[in-house]
Each structure stands twice: as structure tokens, then as C-alpha cells.
Amino acid sequence: LPSVARLAGVKLPDGVEFDGEDFSRAWLGREIQLRSRPLFWVRPPDRPGPANDRWPDLAMREGNWKLLLMADGTEPQLYDLAHDVAEAHNLAATHPDVVERMQRELLAWHHSPDGRPTK
């Protein structure tokens, strides 16, 4: 929303914190921008995946890392998107510290009443 508002010339209300970040300069090709905060999302419930291989419920992207989890925190999948854009190599077993930290943040976000991580 902040990007679209800036491009449309709309002033956002004071005192309201939006989850999105203003990437209008990147959209216009003026600069490369990276997120300053993690991105969290939930798989749409109408797309569970195949019965024998359910898709993860939750996801988090922070820098090059992407973590996928079931809603109960199980079955972590960790990918380094800088080196594996196809998400072919699950690194959860080799980076348990990253999984633990991101899992804690992702589950806190998922269980927070306002959709914001609690720290």
C-alpha cells in the first residue's frame, strides 16, 4: 500500500503503521531497494496441495532466507533464495539456528491478534 499511495500521490494517515514498505523508487527503476523487515504470509486455505503432500501453511522471507512451516510449527523447510531460487534444497537440518529464530518469529506473527510479530 505505501508504494501505490506514493505513486498515486495519496497521503497516508498519520499514526497508522502499515505492514508494507514504500518501494515506489524501485518500481520506477530509480534505485534497488531491499525490505527492511521480514515478510510473513499464510497459504490460502483453499489450496492445501495434494492429499499425500500438503503444502506448508505459513511462510516468512527475511533477506535471502525463506522459511515454510505447518501452522503447528512442524515440518520446517528453509531455503537460501540467493543460491536456490527453485527451492530445491531444504537447508533446515544444516541451519537449525536460523530455523529456530525464524520459526519463533513466524509463529509469533501467526498467533498475534493484530498480525504483527511480538518480540
Side-chain angles (χ1 to χ4, degrees):
L1 179 63
S3 302
V4 173
R6 169 77 49 104
L7 292 170
V10 174
K11 183 180 180 328
L12 295 174
D14 292 330
V16 177
E17 184 179 338
F18 293 93
D19 290 338
E21 297 183 38
D22 180 3
F23 277 82
S24 58
R25 294 181 312 279
W27 288 8
L28 295 172
R30 294 186 181 149
E31 94 182 49
I32 294 173
Q33 292 178 268
L34 301 174
R35 285 190 59 83
S36 64
R37 298 180 305 223
L39 181 65
F40 303 90
W41 67 97
V42 177
R43 174 190 43 78
D46 64 332
R47 298 184 204 150
N52 62 340
D53 186 22
R54 285 192 35 123
W55 295 337
D57 299 311
L58 308 173
M60 176 181 175
R61 170 82 190 263
E62 183 178 51
N64 294 331
W65 293 116
K66 180 178 179 183
L67 179 70
L68 304 171
L69 289 176
M70 298 310 258
D72 63 2
T74 62
E75 302 180 42
Q77 298 175 41
L78 181 69
Y79 301 99
D80 180 352
L81 298 181
H83 299 101
D84 182 18
V85 295
E87 299 177 20
H89 305 286
N90 182 356
L91 302 175
T94 57
H95 294 281
D97 54 326
V98 176
V99 170
E100 183 181 343
R101 179 183 56 76
M102 290 181 73
Q103 180 183 43
R104 187 172 46 250
E105 289 184 45
L106 179 53
L107 291 173
W109 168 82
H110 181 60
H111 295 296
S112 66
D114 62 356
R116 298 188 188 281
T118 55
K119 292 191 178 190

